[in-house]
């Protein structure tokens, strides 16, 4: 779907750095803008986190212009609420776009009930450690273009939207307590499904559908059963498969990368180095040298 705020920024001076489409049409956009004045009025919700600069960003209020921006400040622009901004110097920021239908579906799945009304509260230059953590440690820590990162992105977006419902809407329901893990048969099916689809861009929505659970309940029950979040488990399985395949000298690094769900050898190499301390080529060469040394003795 097209988001009006996204389209509006593209018509202004804003420069789109990165863009990602997540499950059910939710989208992320990483922007840079400077020396621009924009008015936002859209039929969707926008959650914005300032990544860098923004100290000279001003918001128009009934009592005049007000500023208070800076790194890790967030703004929540609800659907149907007009806001005008004057960016007098540099600002790097990330947007999450979602609709009321997205939030309503999430509320129904998590709490098994639908609110009579669902309106988010406008927030300007606010602070929230949870929003900052989810943006910086999940959304900004990976390459959005890589299919292998879709599970992390979709998981973080679900957590962000749940947080908005709990803390920045008139609903403010407490998160339900999730007791116990996945049923053994469901867990066996799910782990086998993951192994069979490691070469594909798995998402939280896809995995939760396999378990016949909401994304919220699935993520918590999976962690209870396995001991780590779904995106962590899947990445560990990708890395384990990669190590096994590196023992086969007939397989190129490109082929291994694709079979393990990475879009490119460079992304595969970077992630492998993060986990094992060396790139896959060095790991393979080290194994070859060790094998030759043992053969000589």
């Amino acid at each position: 779907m097209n988001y009006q705020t996204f389209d509006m920024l593209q018509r202004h001076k804003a420069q789109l750095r990165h863009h990602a489409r997540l499950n059910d049409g939710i989208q992320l956009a990483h922007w840079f803008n400077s020396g621009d004045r924009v008015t936002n009025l859209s039929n969707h919700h926008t959650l914005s986190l300032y990544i860098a600069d923004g100290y000279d960003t001003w918001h128009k209020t009934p009592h005049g212009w007000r500023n208070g921006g800076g790194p890790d400040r967030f703004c929540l622009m609800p659907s149907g609420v007009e806001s005008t901004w004057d960016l007098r110097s540099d600002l790097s920021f990330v947007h999450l776009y979602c609709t009321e239908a997205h939030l309503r579906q999430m509320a129904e799945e998590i709490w098994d009930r639908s609110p009579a009304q669902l309106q988010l509260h406008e927030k300007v230059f606010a602070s929230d450690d949870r929003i900052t953590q989810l943006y910086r440690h999940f959304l900004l820590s990976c390459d959005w273009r890589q299919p292998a990162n879709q599970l992390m992105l979709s998981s973080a977006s679900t957590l962000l939207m749940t947080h908005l419902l709990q803390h920045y809407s008139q609903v403010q329901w407490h998160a339900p307590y999730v007791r116990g893990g996945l049923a053994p048969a469901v867990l066996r099916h799910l782990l086998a499904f993951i192994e069979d689809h490691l070469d594909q861009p798995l998402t939280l929505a896809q995995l939760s559908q396999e378990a016949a659970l909401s994304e919220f309940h699935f993520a918590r029950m999976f962690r209870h059963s396995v001991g780590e979040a779904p995106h962590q488990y899947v990445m560990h399985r990708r890395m384990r498969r990669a190590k096994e395949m590196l023992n086969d000298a007939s397989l190129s690094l490109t082929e291994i990368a694709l079979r393990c769900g990475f879009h490119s050898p460079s992304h595969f190499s970077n992630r492998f180095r993060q986990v094992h301390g060396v790139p896959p080529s060095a790991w393979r060469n080290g194994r070859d040298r060790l094998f030759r040394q043992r053969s000589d003795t």
Side-chain angles (χ1 to χ4, degrees), residues 89-105:
S89 62
D90 294 353
L91 172 62
S92 178
F93 56 101
V94 175
H95 278 174
L96 182 147
Y97 305 120
C98 66
T99 66
E100 181 177 336
H102 289 133
L103 292 177
R104 186 173 295 278
Q105 179 182 356

Side-chain angles (χ1 to χ4, degrees), residues 208-256:
S208 62
Q209 288 171 6
E210 289 296 319
L213 293 167
S214 72
E215 295 179 21
F216 177 89
H217 288 86
F218 166 74
R220 282 152 181 76
M221 294 171 73
F222 185 93
R223 181 185 285 275
H224 188 278
S225 296
V226 179
E228 55 188 354
H231 73 271
Q232 293 172 320
Y233 175 83
V234 170
M235 186 56 68
H236 289 161
R237 296 308 303 172
R238 295 188 200 276
M239 290 292 99
R240 180 179 291 272
R241 174 171 292 185
K243 285 178 64 176
E244 294 171 352
M245 298 180 73
L246 284 168
N247 293 326
D248 187 346
S250 67
L251 296 175
S252 68
L253 294 182
T254 299
E255 187 171 3
I256 294 174

Side-chain angles (χ1 to χ4, degrees), residues 156-177:
S157 68
T158 295
L159 291 173
L160 277 169
M161 291 167 59
T162 304
H163 187 76
L164 294 182
L165 282 172
Q166 291 179 264
H167 299 279
Y168 300 105
S169 76
Q170 89 284 1
V171 175
Q172 295 190 340
W173 293 331
H174 293 294
Y177 178 71

